[in-house]
Amino acid sequence: MADFAVLHSPACTAIWEVSASEAPLWRYWGPRLPDGVVPDTGLRETRPEPSFSLHHDQPLSLFPGFGMAWFGQSALLAHRAGMASAFDPGECRIERNGAHALSFRLDDRVARIMVEIRASLDPATDVLTLSASLENRGDGALDVQWLAAGCLPLPEDAETVHSFAGRHNHEFVPVADALSRSLWRRENRRGLTSHDCFPGAIVTCGDGTAYGAQLAWSGNHAQTIEWLDDGRRQWQAGEWLAPGEVRLEPGERMAGPEWLATVSSEGINGVSHAFHRALRARIAWPGGAMRPRPVHLNTWEGFYFAHDEAALRELAEAAAALGVERFVLDDGWFAGRDDDKSSLGDWRADPRKYPQGLGPLARHVTALGMEFGLWVEPEMISRDSDLYRAHPDWALHIPGRPLLEARNQLVLDLARPEVGAWLFEVLAGLLADTPIAYLKWDHNRDLAHAGEPARHRRQVLAVYGLLDRLRAAFPSVEIEACAGGGGRIDAGIAARTHRFWTSDCIDAVSRVAMQRGFLRFLPPEIMGCHIGASPAHATGRQQAMAFRCGVALPGHFGVELDARHLDATDRETLAAGIARYKALRDRLHGTRVWQGEAPDGLVWQAHGSEAAMVLLVTRTDATSQRHQPHLRLPMAQPGRSYTITADDRVLATMDGAWLARAGFALPPMAAETVLVCEVIS
Ligand code: GLA
């Protein structure tokens, strides 16, 4: 009789067939099974030997090996100068760490490699976290090419994989690929998470079940989905490693990133719900709990590099009058920084612009009742900077090759201890000298080159270490992760920061789809959403203030325009938008989010609970129908009476069954409008 290891959460179950002599075999990963339900036979007993097959049957395990009867993608690719490339652990030691976590120590005494897989299924979030670490127990150096966080099985009816592509100014472009017998693979080699390849995906199945997974890592990554001989598929994810990037000396160990996975019989919205809960559990808020997300004013698009202290004081006054709660001084404040050609690394206030330093402006802001925040781009160095003149070797480079610049800047080799130590001192000095409550931490280029041997991985670990050190030293400071907008959005850096700058494009029409993509994986309270000027700087499109406010409403709301020069109507609309955000933020954030599409080009999202929701319906294009479509809310509960109001006007009252199946008639909506409703039972 086979033995099984089982993990349950309220909505999910994972079952492995385990023995002391091999990696655990995947038997089930799917919606919750009743307690005690396990397979009645060992998997191999159900698999008679097919023609042209090895006599040893190797089904899918949690960590598929290489070279010993497994012909699919391997979870480990490593070798010692060509030797020890086969991986087939003959020993598996299982440890239970409480009711919800297991570790599997897979020992291959021939290859002299030990892999430990940790698996935990959190009952509070329905997220299974997998991670792998590897130890070189041999005599020679072990070159590692691939170490997956583990492997997940997908059922036979897995149909479509939904992932996200994009670019700067256009993050979260949805991509839906039909799964076939071809290998599906997404890779990112840009050195940071990237705008063009979010490290996660959602797979939808014929029966409506959805499987999601995302890698908690801010560097290179790869994920694959592969059809298997038994009709299932295997899904792997891990760091993409450059040739020679990881060489483990005898006794050395490497730990790969965590991979967060979930499954929901409620489809994609169920997957997002689990991810939101898991991300919320990862974020370390100052004081231990999220406080209402303060309204931002960010100076970038309103001022760019043209910092004038008197004008910025006026801006702060205008912002405070509108109801802004945090004033973030963006790029342009430090020594010699008049454009993007110089000064990264010279992190001291420009005496021409701030003769007394940043203190007076910061104190003016705090005296107006707002927090003061500051933009920094710590990982970078401009060639035209005092720092570069003093330490040209601190930039990542490959000796003998030209320096490749992007936005006129190079990347600091953060893993060098003297560079990391210097940077910590500089940032700590800034935080200690000025009342800075918030850092916007930017990263405006890809990592090419990243040294030789490649230092992508070391760079990510070094920035994590730096953030951890700063957080420990300044626990009340919140940090925003930005990389030219959304170039570093992932669950790894989310554990060390408090907000993402979703995109440099704040055109409200463009933002609709981007924000919907973001919300598939991450919760709204960390999604930076600003009201920009009209025309939008990124696209040149003009949009009404009310529409801009409506699109920004569900996220972490902010203003990014010169608020001194608004006409009276826009000022009034913006102040009302801010007031509405403040009134609703407790219900928009920290609660469940559903997203859906309605007929006639409408999209909607609801935040709250099945009993009471804030509903946002967005129309970007004009209607093509004479009569308005009906909007159905599938989560509405039969037997409850729901009242739907917009601006205190009752639109409809109906039973939840009717709301879920037939829906309510939407009022006429012009192009580029957001209807904000309350749905209360
Ligand atoms: C990046 C950010 C912007 C802004 C600029 C400043 O592009 O995404 O929000 O901070 O840098 O240079």
Side-chain angles (χ1 to χ4, degrees), residues 168 298 300 305 330-331 337 340 375 377 407 440 442 444 482-486 501 503-504 560:
H168 174 240
N298 180 293
W300 179 239
F305 296 101
D330 210 281
D331 197 355
R337 182 74 165 176
D340 64 9
W375 179 94
E377 198 181 357
R407 209 188 188 211
K440 178 178 173 190
D442 213 336
N444 277 314
C482 174
W501 183 224
S503 175
D504 275 352
E560 190 168 332

PDB file of all heavy atoms in Angstrom, residues 168 298 300 305 330-331 337 340 375 377 407 440 442 444 482-486 501 503-504 560, ligand 1:
ATOM      1  N   HIS A 168       7.746  49.417 -21.146  1.00  0.00           N
ATOM      2  CA  HIS A 168       7.643  50.656 -20.381  1.00  0.00           C
ATOM      3  C   HIS A 168       6.454  51.457 -20.906  1.00  0.00           C
ATOM      4  O   HIS A 168       6.240  51.550 -22.112  1.00  0.00           O
ATOM      5  CB  HIS A 168       8.940  51.465 -20.559  1.00  0.00           C
ATOM      6  CG  HIS A 168       8.887  52.809 -19.925  1.00  0.00           C
ATOM      7  ND1 HIS A 168       9.040  53.984 -20.625  1.00  0.00           N
ATOM      8  CD2 HIS A 168       8.664  53.172 -18.636  1.00  0.00           C
ATOM      9  CE1 HIS A 168       8.941  55.003 -19.795  1.00  0.00           C
ATOM     10  NE2 HIS A 168       8.712  54.552 -18.585  1.00  0.00           N
ATOM     11  N   ASN A 298       2.627  63.493  -6.126  1.00  0.00           N
ATOM     12  CA  ASN A 298       3.983  63.238  -6.623  1.00  0.00           C
ATOM     13  C   ASN A 298       4.346  64.361  -7.597  1.00  0.00           C
ATOM     14  O   ASN A 298       3.557  64.730  -8.465  1.00  0.00           O
ATOM     15  CB  ASN A 298       4.020  61.876  -7.315  1.00  0.00           C
ATOM     16  CG  ASN A 298       5.404  61.571  -7.849  1.00  0.00           C
ATOM     17  OD1 ASN A 298       5.893  62.225  -8.763  1.00  0.00           O
ATOM     18  ND2 ASN A 298       6.063  60.584  -7.273  1.00  0.00           N
ATOM     19  N   TRP A 300       6.521  64.519 -10.042  1.00  0.00           N
ATOM     20  CA  TRP A 300       7.225  64.240 -11.295  1.00  0.00           C
ATOM     21  C   TRP A 300       6.581  64.918 -12.508  1.00  0.00           C
ATOM     22  O   TRP A 300       7.150  65.825 -13.097  1.00  0.00           O
ATOM     23  CB  TRP A 300       7.367  62.722 -11.474  1.00  0.00           C
ATOM     24  CG  TRP A 300       8.068  62.341 -12.750  1.00  0.00           C
ATOM     25  CD1 TRP A 300       7.571  61.577 -13.755  1.00  0.00           C
ATOM     26  CD2 TRP A 300       9.407  62.706 -13.159  1.00  0.00           C
ATOM     27  NE1 TRP A 300       8.485  61.436 -14.755  1.00  0.00           N
ATOM     28  CE2 TRP A 300       9.630  62.123 -14.414  1.00  0.00           C
ATOM     29  CE3 TRP A 300      10.414  63.475 -12.590  1.00  0.00           C
ATOM     30  CZ2 TRP A 300      10.819  62.285 -15.127  1.00  0.00           C
ATOM     31  CZ3 TRP A 300      11.611  63.630 -13.280  1.00  0.00           C
ATOM     32  CH2 TRP A 300      11.808  63.051 -14.531  1.00  0.00           C
ATOM     33  N   PHE A 305      12.273  67.968 -13.765  1.00  0.00           N
ATOM     34  CA  PHE A 305      13.527  68.301 -13.066  1.00  0.00           C
ATOM     35  C   PHE A 305      13.567  69.754 -12.583  1.00  0.00           C
ATOM     36  O   PHE A 305      14.527  70.172 -11.947  1.00  0.00           O
ATOM     37  CB  PHE A 305      14.718  68.061 -14.003  1.00  0.00           C
ATOM     38  CG  PHE A 305      14.886  66.621 -14.400  1.00  0.00           C
ATOM     39  CD1 PHE A 305      14.458  66.168 -15.647  1.00  0.00           C
ATOM     40  CD2 PHE A 305      15.459  65.696 -13.529  1.00  0.00           C
ATOM     41  CE1 PHE A 305      14.608  64.842 -16.015  1.00  0.00           C
ATOM     42  CE2 PHE A 305      15.613  64.364 -13.890  1.00  0.00           C
ATOM     43  CZ  PHE A 305      15.182  63.932 -15.142  1.00  0.00           C
ATOM     44  N   ASP A 330       9.922  64.101  -6.205  1.00  0.00           N
ATOM     45  CA  ASP A 330      10.479  63.132  -7.160  1.00  0.00           C
ATOM     46  C   ASP A 330      11.840  63.604  -7.651  1.00  0.00           C
ATOM     47  O   ASP A 330      12.446  64.539  -7.112  1.00  0.00           O
ATOM     48  CB  ASP A 330       9.472  62.900  -8.300  1.00  0.00           C
ATOM     49  CG  ASP A 330       9.557  61.501  -8.889  1.00  0.00           C
ATOM     50  OD1 ASP A 330      10.481  61.259  -9.693  1.00  0.00           O
ATOM     51  OD2 ASP A 330       8.719  60.648  -8.556  1.00  0.00           O
ATOM     52  N   ASP A 331      12.321  62.974  -8.676  1.00  0.00           N
ATOM     53  CA  ASP A 331      13.631  63.217  -9.282  1.00  0.00           C
ATOM     54  C   ASP A 331      13.873  64.716  -9.502  1.00  0.00           C
ATOM     55  O   ASP A 331      12.934  65.459  -9.802  1.00  0.00           O
ATOM     56  CB  ASP A 331      13.648  62.471 -10.623  1.00  0.00           C
ATOM     57  CG  ASP A 331      15.045  62.280 -11.162  1.00  0.00           C
ATOM     58  OD1 ASP A 331      15.994  62.799 -10.559  1.00  0.00           O
ATOM     59  OD2 ASP A 331      15.159  61.591 -12.188  1.00  0.00           O
ATOM     60  N   ARG A 337      21.378  67.663 -10.656  1.00  0.00           N
ATOM     61  CA  ARG A 337      20.413  66.869 -11.419  1.00  0.00           C
ATOM     62  C   ARG A 337      19.397  67.786 -12.112  1.00  0.00           C
ATOM     63  O   ARG A 337      18.311  68.069 -11.566  1.00  0.00           O
ATOM     64  CB  ARG A 337      19.711  65.890 -10.476  1.00  0.00           C
ATOM     65  CG  ARG A 337      18.702  64.959 -11.134  1.00  0.00           C
ATOM     66  CD  ARG A 337      19.342  63.861 -11.946  1.00  0.00           C
ATOM     67  NE  ARG A 337      18.367  62.817 -12.258  1.00  0.00           N
ATOM     68  CZ  ARG A 337      18.607  61.761 -13.016  1.00  0.00           C
ATOM     69  NH1 ARG A 337      19.793  61.580 -13.561  1.00  0.00           N
ATOM     70  NH2 ARG A 337      17.669  60.865 -13.241  1.00  0.00           N
ATOM     71  N   ASP A 340      18.210  63.971 -17.126  1.00  0.00           N
ATOM     72  CA  ASP A 340      18.537  62.580 -16.772  1.00  0.00           C
ATOM     73  C   ASP A 340      19.953  62.183 -17.216  1.00  0.00           C
ATOM     74  O   ASP A 340      20.259  61.007 -17.345  1.00  0.00           O
ATOM     75  CB  ASP A 340      17.483  61.625 -17.343  1.00  0.00           C
ATOM     76  CG  ASP A 340      17.447  61.614 -18.867  1.00  0.00           C
ATOM     77  OD1 ASP A 340      18.350  62.215 -19.496  1.00  0.00           O
ATOM     78  OD2 ASP A 340      16.519  60.999 -19.426  1.00  0.00           O
ATOM     79  N   TRP A 375      12.117  60.722  -3.666  1.00  0.00           N
ATOM     80  CA  TRP A 375      12.525  59.786  -4.730  1.00  0.00           C
ATOM     81  C   TRP A 375      14.027  59.523  -4.656  1.00  0.00           C
ATOM     82  O   TRP A 375      14.818  60.475  -4.500  1.00  0.00           O
ATOM     83  CB  TRP A 375      12.189  60.418  -6.080  1.00  0.00           C
ATOM     84  CG  TRP A 375      12.551  59.604  -7.300  1.00  0.00           C
ATOM     85  CD1 TRP A 375      11.734  58.751  -7.988  1.00  0.00           C
ATOM     86  CD2 TRP A 375      13.801  59.611  -8.022  1.00  0.00           C
ATOM     87  NE1 TRP A 375      12.399  58.221  -9.072  1.00  0.00           N
ATOM     88  CE2 TRP A 375      13.670  58.729  -9.112  1.00  0.00           C
ATOM     89  CE3 TRP A 375      15.022  60.264  -7.832  1.00  0.00           C
ATOM     90  CZ2 TRP A 375      14.698  58.492 -10.025  1.00  0.00           C
ATOM     91  CZ3 TRP A 375      16.057  60.017  -8.742  1.00  0.00           C
ATOM     92  CH2 TRP A 375      15.889  59.149  -9.821  1.00  0.00           C
ATOM     93  N   GLU A 377      17.097  56.678  -6.504  1.00  0.00           N
ATOM     94  CA  GLU A 377      17.362  55.558  -7.417  1.00  0.00           C
ATOM     95  C   GLU A 377      18.709  54.950  -7.019  1.00  0.00           C
ATOM     96  O   GLU A 377      19.711  55.073  -7.728  1.00  0.00           O
ATOM     97  CB  GLU A 377      17.359  56.048  -8.874  1.00  0.00           C
ATOM     98  CG  GLU A 377      17.191  54.900  -9.847  1.00  0.00           C
ATOM     99  CD  GLU A 377      17.201  55.308 -11.300  1.00  0.00           C
ATOM    100  OE1 GLU A 377      17.280  56.508 -11.599  1.00  0.00           O
ATOM    101  OE2 GLU A 377      17.151  54.398 -12.153  1.00  0.00           O
ATOM    102  N   ARG A 407      19.265  55.390 -20.387  1.00  0.00           N
ATOM    103  CA  ARG A 407      18.921  56.656 -19.741  1.00  0.00           C
ATOM    104  C   ARG A 407      20.189  57.306 -19.162  1.00  0.00           C
ATOM    105  O   ARG A 407      20.183  57.805 -18.052  1.00  0.00           O
ATOM    106  CB  ARG A 407      17.866  56.445 -18.652  1.00  0.00           C
ATOM    107  CG  ARG A 407      16.987  57.652 -18.446  1.00  0.00           C
ATOM    108  CD  ARG A 407      16.073  57.499 -17.239  1.00  0.00           C
ATOM    109  NE  ARG A 407      15.120  58.593 -17.179  1.00  0.00           N
ATOM    110  CZ  ARG A 407      14.632  59.087 -16.059  1.00  0.00           C
ATOM    111  NH1 ARG A 407      14.989  58.598 -14.898  1.00  0.00           N
ATOM    112  NH2 ARG A 407      13.768  60.075 -16.087  1.00  0.00           N
ATOM    113  N   LYS A 440      10.453  56.707  -2.492  1.00  0.00           N
ATOM    114  CA  LYS A 440      10.104  56.096  -3.776  1.00  0.00           C
ATOM    115  C   LYS A 440      11.419  55.600  -4.361  1.00  0.00           C
ATOM    116  O   LYS A 440      12.292  56.398  -4.690  1.00  0.00           O
ATOM    117  CB  LYS A 440       9.441  57.122  -4.696  1.00  0.00           C
ATOM    118  CG  LYS A 440       9.107  56.551  -6.076  1.00  0.00           C
ATOM    119  CD  LYS A 440       8.412  57.583  -6.945  1.00  0.00           C
ATOM    120  CE  LYS A 440       8.236  57.098  -8.370  1.00  0.00           C
ATOM    121  NZ  LYS A 440       7.780  58.155  -9.271  1.00  0.00           N
ATOM    122  N   ASP A 442      13.482  53.856  -7.089  1.00  0.00           N
ATOM    123  CA  ASP A 442      13.363  53.627  -8.534  1.00  0.00           C
ATOM    124  C   ASP A 442      14.516  52.775  -9.062  1.00  0.00           C
ATOM    125  O   ASP A 442      15.541  52.586  -8.398  1.00  0.00           O
ATOM    126  CB  ASP A 442      13.335  54.998  -9.239  1.00  0.00           C
ATOM    127  CG  ASP A 442      12.471  54.996 -10.481  1.00  0.00           C
ATOM    128  OD1 ASP A 442      12.262  53.920 -11.066  1.00  0.00           O
ATOM    129  OD2 ASP A 442      12.014  56.085 -10.881  1.00  0.00           O
ATOM    130  N   ASN A 444      15.825  52.481 -13.116  1.00  0.00           N
ATOM    131  CA  ASN A 444      15.393  52.865 -14.461  1.00  0.00           C
ATOM    132  C   ASN A 444      16.187  52.269 -15.607  1.00  0.00           C
ATOM    133  O   ASN A 444      16.397  52.940 -16.619  1.00  0.00           O
ATOM    134  CB  ASN A 444      15.419  54.391 -14.574  1.00  0.00           C
ATOM    135  CG  ASN A 444      14.151  54.997 -14.002  1.00  0.00           C
ATOM    136  OD1 ASN A 444      13.052  54.530 -14.293  1.00  0.00           O
ATOM    137  ND2 ASN A 444      14.282  56.002 -13.168  1.00  0.00           N
ATOM    138  N   CYS A 482       9.558  51.077  -7.644  1.00  0.00           N
ATOM    139  CA  CYS A 482       9.309  51.621  -8.975  1.00  0.00           C
ATOM    140  C   CYS A 482      10.472  51.197  -9.843  1.00  0.00           C
ATOM    141  O   CYS A 482      11.605  51.107  -9.379  1.00  0.00           O
ATOM    142  CB  CYS A 482       9.239  53.145  -8.872  1.00  0.00           C
ATOM    143  SG  CYS A 482       9.102  53.996 -10.459  1.00  0.00           S
ATOM    144  N   ALA A 483      10.208  50.918 -11.102  1.00  0.00           N
ATOM    145  CA  ALA A 483      11.297  50.661 -12.049  1.00  0.00           C
ATOM    146  C   ALA A 483      10.802  51.172 -13.391  1.00  0.00           C
ATOM    147  O   ALA A 483      10.257  50.408 -14.182  1.00  0.00           O
ATOM    148  CB  ALA A 483      11.646  49.180 -12.104  1.00  0.00           C
ATOM    149  N   GLY A 484      10.925  52.491 -13.594  1.00  0.00           N
ATOM    150  CA  GLY A 484      10.333  53.074 -14.799  1.00  0.00           C
ATOM    151  C   GLY A 484       8.856  52.685 -14.844  1.00  0.00           C
ATOM    152  O   GLY A 484       8.364  52.166 -15.840  1.00  0.00           O
ATOM    153  N   GLY A 485       8.144  52.893 -13.724  1.00  0.00           N
ATOM    154  CA  GLY A 485       6.788  52.349 -13.582  1.00  0.00           C
ATOM    155  C   GLY A 485       6.913  50.908 -13.114  1.00  0.00           C
ATOM    156  O   GLY A 485       7.601  50.608 -12.146  1.00  0.00           O
ATOM    157  N   GLY A 486       6.284  50.002 -13.846  1.00  0.00           N
ATOM    158  CA  GLY A 486       6.098  48.636 -13.364  1.00  0.00           C
ATOM    159  C   GLY A 486       7.146  47.631 -13.794  1.00  0.00           C
ATOM    160  O   GLY A 486       6.814  46.485 -14.083  1.00  0.00           O
ATOM    161  N   TRP A 501       4.720  51.478  -8.134  1.00  0.00           N
ATOM    162  CA  TRP A 501       4.322  52.449  -9.147  1.00  0.00           C
ATOM    163  C   TRP A 501       3.999  51.627 -10.388  1.00  0.00           C
ATOM    164  O   TRP A 501       4.866  51.073 -11.045  1.00  0.00           O
ATOM    165  CB  TRP A 501       5.431  53.497  -9.382  1.00  0.00           C
ATOM    166  CG  TRP A 501       5.005  54.528 -10.372  1.00  0.00           C
ATOM    167  CD1 TRP A 501       5.753  55.018 -11.402  1.00  0.00           C
ATOM    168  CD2 TRP A 501       3.731  55.202 -10.440  1.00  0.00           C
ATOM    169  NE1 TRP A 501       5.026  55.955 -12.102  1.00  0.00           N
ATOM    170  CE2 TRP A 501       3.779  56.073 -11.540  1.00  0.00           C
ATOM    171  CE3 TRP A 501       2.552  55.135  -9.687  1.00  0.00           C
ATOM    172  CZ2 TRP A 501       2.700  56.878 -11.905  1.00  0.00           C
ATOM    173  CZ3 TRP A 501       1.468  55.922 -10.056  1.00  0.00           C
ATOM    174  CH2 TRP A 501       1.559  56.783 -11.144  1.00  0.00           C
ATOM    175  N   SER A 503       2.756  52.078 -13.428  1.00  0.00           N
ATOM    176  CA  SER A 503       3.195  52.405 -14.789  1.00  0.00           C
ATOM    177  C   SER A 503       3.489  53.886 -14.874  1.00  0.00           C
ATOM    178  O   SER A 503       2.813  54.693 -14.222  1.00  0.00           O
ATOM    179  CB  SER A 503       2.088  52.065 -15.799  1.00  0.00           C
ATOM    180  OG  SER A 503       2.483  52.483 -17.098  1.00  0.00           O
ATOM    181  N   ASP A 504       4.455  54.256 -15.714  1.00  0.00           N
ATOM    182  CA  ASP A 504       4.681  55.680 -15.990  1.00  0.00           C
ATOM    183  C   ASP A 504       3.569  56.250 -16.854  1.00  0.00           C
ATOM    184  O   ASP A 504       3.501  57.464 -17.050  1.00  0.00           O
ATOM    185  CB  ASP A 504       6.028  55.876 -16.701  1.00  0.00           C
ATOM    186  CG  ASP A 504       7.178  55.960 -15.706  1.00  0.00           C
ATOM    187  OD1 ASP A 504       6.911  56.026 -14.497  1.00  0.00           O
ATOM    188  OD2 ASP A 504       8.335  55.966 -16.149  1.00  0.00           O
ATOM    189  N   GLU A 560      -0.693  63.594  -9.690  1.00  0.00           N
ATOM    190  CA  GLU A 560       0.622  63.864 -10.281  1.00  0.00           C
ATOM    191  C   GLU A 560       0.462  64.921 -11.365  1.00  0.00           C
ATOM    192  O   GLU A 560       0.464  64.628 -12.567  1.00  0.00           O
ATOM    193  CB  GLU A 560       1.228  62.557 -10.815  1.00  0.00           C
ATOM    194  CG  GLU A 560       2.689  62.721 -11.210  1.00  0.00           C
ATOM    195  CD  GLU A 560       3.415  61.402 -11.466  1.00  0.00           C
ATOM    196  OE1 GLU A 560       3.039  60.366 -10.867  1.00  0.00           O
ATOM    197  OE2 GLU A 560       4.352  61.415 -12.286  1.00  0.00           O
TER     198      GLU A 560
HETATM  199  C1  GLA B   1      10.927  56.824 -13.568  1.00  0.00           C
HETATM  200  C2  GLA B   1       9.688  56.731 -12.707  1.00  0.00           C
HETATM  201  C3  GLA B   1       8.945  58.032 -12.755  1.00  0.00           C
HETATM  202  C4  GLA B   1       9.840  59.139 -12.281  1.00  0.00           C
HETATM  203  C5  GLA B   1      11.102  59.171 -13.098  1.00  0.00           C
HETATM  204  C6  GLA B   1      12.092  60.143 -12.529  1.00  0.00           C
HETATM  205  O1  GLA B   1      10.618  56.916 -14.903  1.00  0.00           O
HETATM  206  O2  GLA B   1       8.880  55.674 -13.107  1.00  0.00           O
HETATM  207  O3  GLA B   1       7.775  57.972 -11.972  1.00  0.00           O
HETATM  208  O4  GLA B   1      10.138  58.942 -10.920  1.00  0.00           O
HETATM  209  O5  GLA B   1      11.730  57.903 -13.150  1.00  0.00           O
HETATM  210  O6  GLA B   1      13.242  60.218 -13.278  1.00  0.00           O
END
